[in-house]
């Protein structure tokens, strides 16, 4: 007899494990199918968590080497112990993945180890690493298998010299020359890591600008900062081929003119696509749309009764926190609640230095939709806390509807932008006006005061500039 559950989730990433925990909290008998040897999915194991650990470590290395002296802290002979840095990263990952295991035990969630395949609505066959199979039954099945790196046609990734983000997190030495193919979040973050540690980094992007999903002004500002740090950009340029040359790699580029570029390591970071291989979707008849994403309605239901999907396998930004919000919403809907997700209030962050964060509409989107708006901007150069911290790059930009003053979008490049965006996201969630932010008392001296000043600037009355 197959084990019977109220909910079975396939995939234990941020969407899947959060959905499992919330479902169990609500009294639903829950199981989570995961083939990886640890819980947490791509994010915790080979994605956002290890990359942020390396970003933090590399920032400290760069600060010790270049910035501490101005604070009166003199450090001689700064050197890199890459093995220790990688070991710290691995320890952070292990601690957090074991934390998810603890939460599964605490909430009495069954971890069914193996790769799941939907054999029929309500029936999942799980194949373990040794080939043994087990069948489980579910009233509701949730697909939360996430995404994987998109390959570059004709280029073989060996995770040694030509790497995906996975390989870029575990290089055994600092390459002299690193080429990043793709000017999106992941490539810029990992490029920043290795540039700080001593690599000569070149970013090749087929578009004429980086981070295309963000407000264009933020992308231009970020490119200027990263260029000053030593990263070179080749925009409007396509990689035609990668070959071997002189104990390294040679990239054939096609931009304004054909050219070649030498590299020791190439990071392919041109996006991600849904991971749905082996799930049995075709046999069951689950509909998929553009780019292979599973088609769902506003309640995350597929066209097959009892089968649902969340996270990177469905529409919307491929962000861990978006998947987690969907996981909570779906678990609550399965228990009879009417929870929804406000997709206009999903923040996005790039963890370079300075950080870049955004929520809501960009200027380009507002112009395309012919929406009238006002803009308020405030630079961190005029923020006292940024000045005392020695981190004055960037600005806060608030876009508010002209007639109602409702906040439409907030875009930040600067220190701790990923933290500052939370206030803006809350404003979006509550439908706040720029005046609401401007009238809110902000502690002094804090970086958050720049958000208040940008809100005041929407009405032309910023105080400190």
């Amino acid at each position: 007899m197959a084990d019977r559950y109220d909910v079975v989730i396939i995939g234990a990433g941020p969407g899947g494990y959060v959905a499992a925990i919330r479902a169990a909290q609500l009294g639903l008998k829950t199981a989570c199918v995961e083939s990886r040897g640890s819980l947490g999915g791509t994010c915790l194991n080979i994605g956002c968590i290890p990359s942020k650990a390396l970003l933090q470590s590399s920032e400290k290395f760069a600060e010790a080497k270049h910035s501490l002296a101005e604070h009166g802290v003199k450090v001689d002979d700064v050197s890199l112990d890459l093995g220790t840095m990688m070991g710290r990263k691995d320890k952070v990952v292990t601690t957090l993945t074991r934390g998810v295991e603890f939460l599964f035990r605490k909430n009495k969630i069954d971890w069914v180890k193996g790769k799941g395949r939907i054999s029929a609505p309500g029936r999942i066959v799980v194949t373990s690493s040794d080939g043994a199979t087990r069948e489980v039954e579910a009233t509701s099945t949730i697909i939360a298998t996430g995404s994987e790196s998109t390959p570059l046609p004709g280029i073989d990734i060996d995770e040694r010299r030509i790497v995906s983000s996975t390989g870029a997190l575990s290089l055994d030495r600092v390459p002299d020359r690193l080429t990043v193919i793709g000017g999106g979040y992941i490539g810029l973050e990992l490029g920043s890591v290795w540039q700080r540690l001593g690599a000569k980094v070149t970013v090749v992007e087929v578009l004429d600008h980086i981070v295309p999903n963000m407000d264009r002004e933020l992308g231009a500002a970020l490119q200027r900062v990263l260029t000053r740090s030593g990263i070179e950009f080749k925009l409007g340029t396509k990689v035609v081929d990668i070959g071997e040359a002189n104990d390294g790699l040679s990239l054939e580029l096609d931009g304004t003119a054909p050219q070649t570029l030498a590299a020791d390591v190439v990071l392919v970071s041109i996006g991600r696509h849904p991971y749905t291989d082996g799930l049995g979707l075709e046999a069951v008849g689950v509909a998929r749309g553009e780019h292979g994403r599973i088609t769902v309605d506003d309640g995350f239901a597929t066209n097959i009764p009892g089968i649902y999907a969340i996270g990177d396998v469905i529409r919307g930004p491929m962000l861990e926190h978006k998947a987690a919000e969907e996981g909570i919403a779906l678990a609550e809907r399965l228990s009879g609640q009417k929870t929804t997700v406000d997709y206009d209030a999903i923040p996005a962050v790039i963890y370079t230095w300075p950080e870049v964060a955004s929520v809501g509409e960009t200027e380009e989107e507002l112009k395309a939709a012919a929406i009238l708006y006002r803009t308020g901007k405030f630079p961190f150069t005029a923020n006292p806390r940024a000045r005392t911290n020695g981190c004055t790059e960037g600005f806060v930009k608030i876009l508010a509807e002209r007639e109602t003053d409702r906040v439409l979008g907030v875009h930040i490049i600067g220190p701790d932008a990923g933290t500052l965006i939370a206030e803006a996201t809350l404003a979006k969630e509550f439908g706040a006006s720029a005046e609401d932010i401007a009238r809110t008392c902000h502690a002094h001296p804090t970086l958050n005061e720049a958000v208040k000043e940008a809100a005041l600037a929407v009405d032309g009355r910023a105080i400190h500039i």
Side-chain angles (χ1 to χ4, degrees):
M1 292 289 292
D3 291 325
R4 180 82 191 178
Y5 295 91
D6 297 314
V7 181
V8 171
I9 298 120
I10 305 176
Y17 85 73
V18 169
I21 291 171
R22 187 65 185 124
Q25 288 176 342
L26 292 165
L28 301 175
K29 186 180 179 183
T30 305
C32 191
V33 179
E34 173 58 55
S35 60
R36 196 188 299 270
S38 56
L39 299 172
T42 295
C43 174
L44 265 67
N45 287 276
I46 55 170
C48 59
I49 294 304
S51 67
K52 302 315 168 282
L54 290 181
L55 280 161
Q56 180 73 4
S57 295
S58 64
E59 283 173 18
K60 289 185 177 297
F61 176 74
E63 184 179 25
K65 198 168 186 180
H66 304 294
S67 304
L68 287 182
E70 70 177 86
H71 293 273
V73 181
K74 296 185 178 181
V75 182
D76 297 325
D77 300 323
V78 177
S79 61
L80 173 67
D81 184 339
L82 185 60
T84 298
M85 185 178 290
M86 290 294 178
R88 177 186 178 273
K89 177 256 298 181
D90 293 340
K91 183 177 179 181
V92 170
V93 169
T94 299
T95 299
L96 290 174
T97 56
R98 287 179 178 172
V100 178
E101 289 186 42
F102 164 76
L103 292 172
F104 269 33
R105 292 193 299 271
K106 174 186 174 183
N107 290 282
K108 298 179 174 56
I109 300 164
D110 288 346
W111 174 9
V112 183
K113 298 182 180 182
K115 185 173 178 59
R117 175 177 59 84
I118 302 172
S119 59
R123 300 187 73 85
I124 302 99
V125 175
V126 183
T127 304
S128 63
S129 58
D130 62 4
T133 61
R134 170 186 174 185
E135 189 171 72
V136 295
E137 296 181 351
T139 302
S140 300
T141 302
I142 301 175
I143 300 168
T145 46
S147 61
E148 60 183 346
S149 297
T150 298
L152 187 64
I155 304 300
D156 293 327
I157 293 177
D158 59 19
E159 299 296 12
R160 187 174 58 87
R161 292 197 299 173
I162 302 177
V163 301
S164 68
S165 57
T166 301
L169 290 167
S170 302
L171 298 179
D172 59 5
R173 63 179 179 85
V174 179
D176 292 329
R177 302 160 298 179
L178 170 67
T179 295
V180 178
I181 304 176
Y185 299 22
I186 298 171
L188 295 179
E189 289 181 0
L190 292 174
S192 293
V193 167
W194 293 107
Q195 185 275 328
R196 292 169 190 155
L197 300 181
K200 175 67 178 75
V201 176
T202 303
V203 175
V204 181
E205 169 57 52
V206 70
L207 300 177
D208 63 357
H209 58 284
I210 62 173
V211 290
N213 293 329
M214 280 200 164
D215 187 273
R216 188 69 66 90
E217 188 175 7
L218 258 66
L222 178 61
Q223 184 182 337
R224 287 193 296 270
V225 175
L226 294 179
T227 298
R228 288 201 300 272
S229 76
I231 296 178
E232 182 181 352
F233 290 87
K234 293 184 180 294
L235 303 182
T237 302
K238 180 180 180 181
V239 176
V240 178
D241 192 23
I242 303 176
E244 297 189 12
N246 300 323
D247 296 325
L249 299 169
S250 178
L251 290 82
E252 292 184 23
L253 308 180
D254 185 12
T256 54
Q259 57 182 302
T260 59
L261 178 65
D264 299 297
V265 174
V266 175
L267 165 59
V268 179
S269 183
I270 59 172
R272 300 183 66 82
H273 64 275
Y275 180 75
T276 56
D277 292 347
L279 287 177
L281 301 185
E282 294 84 359
V284 180
V286 173
R288 284 187 281 181
E290 189 178 14
H291 306 303
R293 294 196 178 193
I294 296 172
T295 303
V296 296
D297 64 16
D298 291 340
F300 310 105
T302 70
N303 61 307
I304 304 300
I307 300 178
Y308 303 82
I310 60 171
D312 289 2
V313 296
I314 69 170
R315 62 181 182 268
M318 290 184 171
L319 298 170
E320 287 79 5
H321 44 281
K322 175 257 195 185
E325 291 299 317
E326 290 175 337
I328 291 172
L330 177 52
E332 292 177 350
R333 293 179 73 92
L334 293 177
S335 70
Q337 300 180 37
K338 301 296 182 183
T339 309
T340 60
V341 175
D342 183 355
Y343 288 99
D344 287 333
I346 302 290
V349 183
I350 305 174
Y351 294 92
T352 50
W353 191 259
E355 293 178 353
V356 181
S358 180
V359 67
E361 290 84 0
T362 66
E363 281 208 68
E364 292 71 36
E365 290 169 339
L366 295 178
K367 289 175 181 177
I371 296 173
L372 300 178
Y373 64 95
R374 294 185 297 167
T375 304
K377 287 178 61 177
F378 190 80
F380 282 102
T381 53
N383 175 266
R385 187 59 186 272
R387 180 64 63 181
T388 59
N389 290 352
C391 302
T392 58
E393 290 280 3
F395 56 85
V396 178
K397 180 167 76 171
I398 295 179
L399 307 174
E401 192 172 32
R402 180 178 297 179
E403 183 176 351
T404 67
D405 196 42
R406 180 172 58 92
V407 173
L408 300 174
V410 179
H411 309 282
I412 307 173
I413 177 170
D416 269 350
T419 301
L420 299 180
I421 202 65
E423 177 182 4
T425 303
L426 187 64
K428 282 285 293 179
E429 181 70 26
F430 278 90
S433 65
E435 179 76 7
D436 289 325
I437 298 174
R439 292 291 181 185
T440 300
C441 184
H442 289 63
H444 174 79
T446 61
L447 296 172
N448 302 66
E449 289 177 286
V451 179
K452 176 186 177 77
E453 291 273 9
L456 286 165
V458 170
D459 195 37
R461 51 192 176 93
I463 300 297
H464 290 95
I465 191 170

